[in-house]
Amino acid sequence: MSVKLEGHAVAPGVAIGRVHLAESNELEIGEFRIGREDVGKEVRRYRNAVEAARKQLLELADRIGPAVAAPAADIIQSHVLMLADSKIGKNTEEHIRNELCNAEWALQSQLEQILSEFRSMDDEYIRTRGEDVTQVVRLIQSKLGEEAASQPFENIPDRLADTLVVASELTPGELAILHERGVAGIVTEHGGPNSHTAILASSLGIPAVLGVRGARSLLEEDSTLILDGGRGLLIADPGQKTLQRYHELRLESERFKRSLESLRQRRAVSLDGHEISLQANAERRDELLQSVTAGADGIGLYRTEFLYLQGAPPDEETQLSEYLSALELLDGKPLIIRTLDLGADKSTDALDFSQLRRSANPALGLRAIRLCLRDTGLFKTQLRAVLRASASGRVRCLIPMITSVQEIKLVKELLGEARAQLDERGQQYDPELPLGGMIEVPAAALAIDELARELDFISVGTNDLLQYALAADRGDEQVAHLYDLQHPGIVRLLRYILREAGQFGIPATICGEAAGDTRYTRLLLALGLRQFSMHPARLLEVKQIIRETRIDRATEAAKRWLQDPSAAKESSLLELLDQSQESSGS
Ligand code: PEP
Ligand code: MG
């Protein structure tokens, strides 16, 4: 009998093949004491393991080659960097010295501490960075245990065509090896949609479904499995009809992939001639490279929180060097740097958030720009780094969670002070650095005319705007059904923001997840959006929809729906927009 399982849809495409259950590569970590005289030896053993892990990753990055897998090599490179200077390294050695325990255990203790910090953050992206740390730690532990990690997947056949590997979890390095062996698709029991393994699978074009609880016990070795990466669906032991349908879908999805590739160099122009700007949300090197490869018009959202999660708050030079390397990769394309958006439960050891934890409603508390206006020293350090970067490329500065005009005025005063400090030091900056605000607070959206007078551009953060406008926590599964972009109130709010921004002549982008969700592309175009910023992996599919849309027709359909949303009983707004494209007269 056929069995259906669901997980995270992270890398589209259909794969059909035989199941191979990968050995669980989780390690049993035991604790034992060492004598004081053995501390030096244990620290050396730890360092050797790190070095062996580093070598293995570098060899892998070399082997997978630059052409198809630049992002892949880069993800591995980011793990190499994590090995070199993460907090884990320093603390593990200290733990060995202070607790007189074995390196494996010291490493495990550090991992648990870091993971509990990551888990307490409400930003899904940051939270899933914990998976990268786990993967790096696992690799070092396997080296420490002299496991067969230099030849992972020993038991897996060399050729994996028509094989779907089902594992507990996979590191990017392991995934790269499976890719070399021609794996048809991958399934893991753990791993989120924003993990590096997910990004890597998508950039290597490997259909993947992650986070399928219990997959290894529910699926049988050698059984037939259909993996529908676009839907996050697995069908084990399918019937003949289903199998036939998926064989056809697979052919179709391969054709679709080839057609997307051909879009890289093409412009995003709608059927009725509107040119759309497609930018990317990216911060790490792999994402920046992926954005360039996908042909993004620039980086519409460069989140900077990651800089603050690595220990002490980053100094001006550290930030500047990150911004400059992003600019170098972008090679003349604009970089919109968003200032620090921490606060509430996105706390870190680096900052003293003791006051904030007492807040009953952290999402409504002292976060983002509110926090930066409280700790102006921290904020001005970032403003100086952003200003200095603006001397070397097309930089714009974006402020998160703006609520009032007063806040923008305060930001401008601080920018003035930061400029004066740079003048004193004789350092260069762009005196015209454009200043933008994120529209995430409903009251700010409704006062857009006031804000527009003070800003050079706006960027709508739909992730937060929806949570505040619908009173539905963006991370709470229990109210996920209320978190709906098609709610008439949200549709009206977005149309209002985009219309008013147009009237005041300031550019408006949407940089929340909705911008990269192809279900909403036509709706956003119909509401007047002409600038999208999204994860680079989504860019070509969004471009494809734009190139197949007549915006005038979609606009008409949206207008009719907005006059009386309940009139369209049979069809949803999104269906009406699709139907509008089929009407005659093109
Ligand atoms: C948003 O809120 O839509 C946004 C892009 O910001 P973040 O997801 O970082 O809060
Ligand atoms: Mg936000």
Side-chain angles (χ1 to χ4, degrees), residues 424-497:
E424 250 172 55
R425 296 184 199 159
Q427 285 166 330
Q428 304 291 307
Y429 57 86
D430 171 8
E432 308 287 324
L433 173 75
L435 182 66
M438 283 194 75
I439 303 301
E440 304 178 278
V441 176
L446 294 171
I448 198 80
D449 49 339
E450 292 295 313
L451 303 185
R453 276 186 246 278
E454 297 290 335
L455 294 169
D456 299 306
F457 65 97
I458 59 163
S459 194
V460 186
T462 43
N463 304 342
D464 275 317
L465 184 63
L466 262 69
Q467 92 160 337
Y468 292 128
L470 294 164
D473 187 329
R474 63 194 256 187
D476 188 344
E477 301 266 333
Q478 302 172 94
V479 287
H481 60 290
L482 297 173
Y483 192 90
D484 178 16
L485 192 101
Q486 292 184 74
H487 187 295
I490 297 295
V491 177
R492 289 195 176 118
L493 193 57
L494 291 176
R495 187 181 58 158
Y496 179 78
I497 297 169

Side-chain angles (χ1 to χ4, degrees), residues 123 281 301 303 305 338 341 346 367 438 440 460-465 474 511-513:
D123 185 306
N281 298 351
L301 176 64
R303 292 178 168 104
E305 292 74 64
R338 182 180 74 180
D341 189 20
K346 283 185 196 173
R367 52 169 298 201
M438 283 194 75
E440 304 178 278
V460 186
T462 43
N463 304 342
D464 275 317
L465 184 63
R474 63 194 256 187
C511 64
E513 295 312 305

Side-chain angles (χ1 to χ4, degrees), residues 30 39 65-66 78 80 90 110 171 176 218 259 279 297 340 357 384 398 406 418 463 492 516 523 536 541 564:
V39 165
S78 78
V80 172
K90 279 179 265 155
Q110 292 317 308
T171 66
L218 295 167
S259 73
Q279 299 153 35
D297 294 323
L340 185 60
R357 290 204 189 95
R384 285 194 302 273
L398 179 63
Q406 188 53 26
N463 304 342
R492 289 195 176 118
L523 173 57
E541 283 178 53
D564 186 2

Side-chain angles (χ1 to χ4, degrees), residues 45-61 76 79-80 83-84 107 135-144 149-150 173:
R45 197 168 77 83
Y46 170 71
R47 289 184 186 167
N48 288 342
V50 171
E51 186 48 30
R54 201 176 75 88
K55 268 202 191 131
Q56 181 185 320
L57 288 175
L58 288 178
E59 276 167 25
L60 243 171
I76 293 171
H79 281 196
V80 172
L83 279 174
L107 193 52
Q135 291 169 349
V136 168
V137 165
R138 264 183 39 206
L139 181 60
I140 308 174
Q141 284 171 334
S142 70
K143 294 293 175 194
L144 279 168
S150 54

